[in-house]
Every structure is written in structure tokens, then in C-alpha cells.
Amino acid sequence: MPAEWEHQWGIQLTWPHPATDWNYCIDDICRTYVEMADVITRHEHLLIVTPDIEFVNKQISTKLSHQQMENVVFCKCPTNDTWARDHGFITVAGKDGRQLIDFKFNGWGEKFAADKDTLINRCLYDNGLIKGGYKDCNDFVLEGGSIESDGRGTIFTTSMCLLAPHRNQPMTKEEIEERLKSDLCAERVVWIDHGSLIGDDTDGHIDTIVRTAPGDTLVYVGCDDVNDEQYEDFRQMEEQIKTFRTVEGKPYKLVRLPMPDACVEDGERLPATYANFLILNGAVIVPTYNQKEKDDEAMRLLAEVFPGREIIGIDSRVIIRQHGSVHCCTMQFFED
């Protein structure tokens, strides 16, 4: 499984529409998606999945240049929601080219409707919009946000998510690990046992807490506020990842991102995190939360981790209202 920083063909966005849970703030979320589309199309292709192409085209054509619009590919397809990271294809690269793996998406353990989203990959493939060999793995539940690859044969994941109810029971942890190694052509799986963000309804996706980066680097969220109810869980996560070693037996380089101040809506804490950044060809989109000091610190640290890439902040306060952030909205596809 390629690392996200390897050269990409493009990014998938599954666009919000009034029949999704975004209806109550549809204008706000669409403005944020237009911002993401603007950044993505300056660097690579953008594949937009939507049941209403005209609806989306009107929004992006007022912001994107003619040259950027040439980088846009549309797929007309019914959708339940917008989380492309979790219903999208997962790519594995091999000597015979890209393999597009279609795992089963069941609404994060049957919490939400997914009957339309789980058919998107087949629609993309049957219409020839994504190149590569199709591999049907719909006998195994896996969301893209639950795994991270270093591009060198190591997959990182969390026990909180992959062992959560309504995923792959009665499979054991050992059986799930062997399945990941087989399907993702991995040599090993590294498990994280702590670090669940309050408000995260994915059961602890790794892309909200720990990310891989070049040079055997792990980028993770730390918590300094002892009064934060998440403090102890994230302290234990930090202690655990300090024990991790590369395949060569060396410690990882660790980069600690700040924990955003609590973002709350209707008394509910939302899963704000700087770890949910998106890597593009030549750029990194960083979620921000109108917290200047912490926003700036997160972008400064990521600029050091990804030298030579433009660091672009996008206000993600609307996205987290539906319990995700920038990375959750997207899925990358790679060049052969």
C-alpha cells in the first residue's frame, strides 16, 4: 500500500447534497468543499462523486479557473454521505500496476446507512473513471481512515476500531492482522491501543490521531491540559508510540501536534484534530479551527515534516460538525 506522500493521480471528493445529513448547513459545507476543490485542482486531478453534477458544477465553476476545471472528473452516483476516505477504494501498487481494493463499508459498524455509498466504487470502476485491477474484498469490513501505510510494508491501525462491534466478528485480532497483511501486501501490522477522540463515531480511526510521514516519522496529537478529559488516554498513546520501532529496529522520529481547544456544538464535543491533514502533490491541506496560535503551530510543524510542499490551512469547523475533518472527506489515487 503506497504511502500517501507518493505521487498521486488525484483525489476523490464525495460531494454533500441536501439529502445527506449536511442539509441543515449545506451552504456552509459546500463552501468548504469548494475551498478543498480549489486547492486540489491546483496540484492534481479531482474526482467528484455526486448524484447531481449540475448542482456541483455551478458551485465550483465560479471559483476554479478553466485550467483547474480541466482537472475535474465527475461521476454521477447516488450517495448516503460524503466520507470518501471510508467508502473509497484502497490502492495497492504491484508489479502488474495498481490494484483497487473494494472493502466492505457498513457505516462504521452499522451505525449509519451505507447502502448507496458501498456501491460507489463499483460505479467508478464500471464507468472507467479509475484505472487499475478491481479486487472484491466485500467479505471484510475496512475503512480507509482506520489504516496508515508507510509505503514500506508496515500498516498502522487501532485496536479500538478494528476490534469494535459489528465490524468483522467473530474474527480474532490475529486473524484480522493476517487478513490486513494479505490484502494490503504488508509485512507487519502495528496496533495502537489508546487515543480515542471524544465525538469520533468511527470507534477510533488512526487518521485522527497518528499519521505516517517520510523518514520513518510518526506525526501524532499530544494533549498537555491535565484537565482535558482526553488527557490520560492520549498520554498512554504517546507512551505506547515511543516504544514503536521500524523494521530495522530503530525508534521512529516523533512529531507532536497540539490538541485543539475543545470545539462544542449543542453541548457536544466535536472531534477536532490537526492529524487529519491531507497530503497532495506539492501541498498539504491542514484542518484549522480558528485557534490562531495552535493552528499556526500545527502548520509550522507540518511544514518541517513535509519540506518543499505548500502548507495550506482550511477552516474545518463546519466539517467537524458531522464528526470528521479534511482527510476523512478525501481519498487519493496513485499513478501507475
Side-chain angles (χ1 to χ4, degrees), residues 29 31 41 52 89 141 156 174 209-210 214 248 281 289 312:
I29 189 61
R31 277 193 291 269
T41 53
D52 189 343
F89 277 119
V141 176
F156 293 84
E174 291 72 25
I209 57 173
V210 179
E248 296 83 12
N281 298 332
Y289 303 100
I312 303 165

Side-chain angles (χ1 to χ4, degrees), residues 12 50 83 151 158 176 209 226 242 269 282 294 302 309 317 326 328 331:
Q12 177 182 335
T50 175
W83 307 109
T158 70
I176 290 172
I209 57 173
V226 296
K242 286 178 179 178
R269 184 165 180 170
K294 290 187 174 182
L302 290 170
R309 280 179 162 88
R317 287 176 293 168
V326 170
C328 304
M331 177 53 83

Side-chain angles (χ1 to χ4, degrees), residues 48 230 284:
I48 296 177
Q230 302 177 129
V284 178

Side-chain angles (χ1 to χ4, degrees), residues 213-220 246 250-255 304-305:
D216 289 328
T217 300
L218 296 178
V219 181
Y220 70 100
T246 67
K250 299 177 181 179
Y252 284 92
K253 177 183 178 182
L254 302 181
V255 176
E304 294 177 357
V305 173

Side-chain angles (χ1 to χ4, degrees), residues 20-36:
T20 64
D21 288 343
W22 294 107
N23 184 48
Y24 73 106
C25 58
I26 189 67
D27 292 339
D28 291 337
I29 189 61
C30 284
R31 277 193 291 269
T32 302
Y33 266 64
V34 170
E35 284 189 61
M36 288 193 285

Side-chain angles (χ1 to χ4, degrees), residues 61-277:
S61 61
T62 61
K63 175 74 172 179
L64 276 57
S65 69
H66 175 73
Q67 184 177 4
Q68 287 174 281
M69 289 297 294
E70 290 183 342
N71 274 339
V72 178
V73 178
F74 285 104
C75 177
K76 185 173 183 178
C77 185
T79 64
N80 299 105
D81 215 324
T82 56
W83 307 109
R85 179 64 46 182
D86 297 336
H87 60 241
F89 277 119
I90 294 173
T91 305
V92 171
K95 60 183 180 180
D96 298 324
R98 286 178 291 175
Q99 294 295 309
L100 304 168
I101 306 182
D102 189 6
F103 288 104
K104 182 177 181 179
F105 175 62
N106 72 345
W108 308 280
E110 301 175 349
K111 296 185 185 74
F112 303 95
D115 57 305
K116 298 173 184 176
D117 289 346
T118 199
L119 300 176
I120 291 173
N121 292 339
R122 192 76 238 188
C123 181
L124 291 172
Y125 190 80
D126 289 347
N127 283 283
L129 299 174
I130 295 296
K131 306 301 182 184
Y134 179 90
K135 183 176 180 180
D136 188 342
C137 287
N138 275 277
D139 61 335
F140 187 74
V141 176
L142 188 72
E143 302 113 32
S146 70
I147 53 175
E148 275 282 303
S149 173
D150 67 354
R152 301 174 57 220
T154 297
I155 297 296
F156 293 84
T157 191
T158 70
S159 58
M160 301 90 72
C161 179
L162 265 65
L163 303 182
H166 306 290
R167 294 298 211 287
N168 290 300
Q169 288 82 3
M171 292 179 72
T172 65
K173 181 179 180 179
E174 291 72 25
E175 289 170 334
I176 290 172
E177 180 168 320
E178 288 305 309
R179 182 64 189 262
L180 291 176
K181 287 160 68 174
S182 174
D183 288 345
L184 302 177
C185 303
E187 295 178 10
R188 64 174 186 154
V189 177
V190 176
W191 295 81
I192 295 171
D193 302 310
H194 306 278
S196 296
L197 283 175
I198 295 171
D200 170 28
D201 48 22
T202 68
D203 300 307
H205 274 184
I206 193 169
D207 71 346
T208 65
I209 57 173
V210 179
R211 302 290 303 282
T212 58
D216 289 328
T217 300
L218 296 178
V219 181
Y220 70 100
V221 177
C223 185
D224 294 319
D225 182 2
V226 296
N227 296 314
D228 190 321
E229 54 192 321
Q230 302 177 129
Y231 174 80
E232 180 59 23
D233 194 27
F234 276 83
R235 186 195 67 78
Q236 292 183 57
M237 183 193 80
E238 186 171 38
E239 291 304 311
Q240 184 179 24
I241 64 176
K242 286 178 179 178
T243 69
F244 292 165
R245 295 295 180 265
T246 67
V247 290
E248 296 83 12
K250 299 177 181 179
Y252 284 92
K253 177 183 178 182
L254 302 181
V255 176
R256 190 178 195 266
L257 296 174
M259 175 76 72
D261 297 336
C263 297
V264 178
E265 181 179 63
D266 297 331
E268 178 185 22
R269 184 165 180 170
L270 304 175
T273 171
Y274 294 112
N276 208 245
F277 56 85

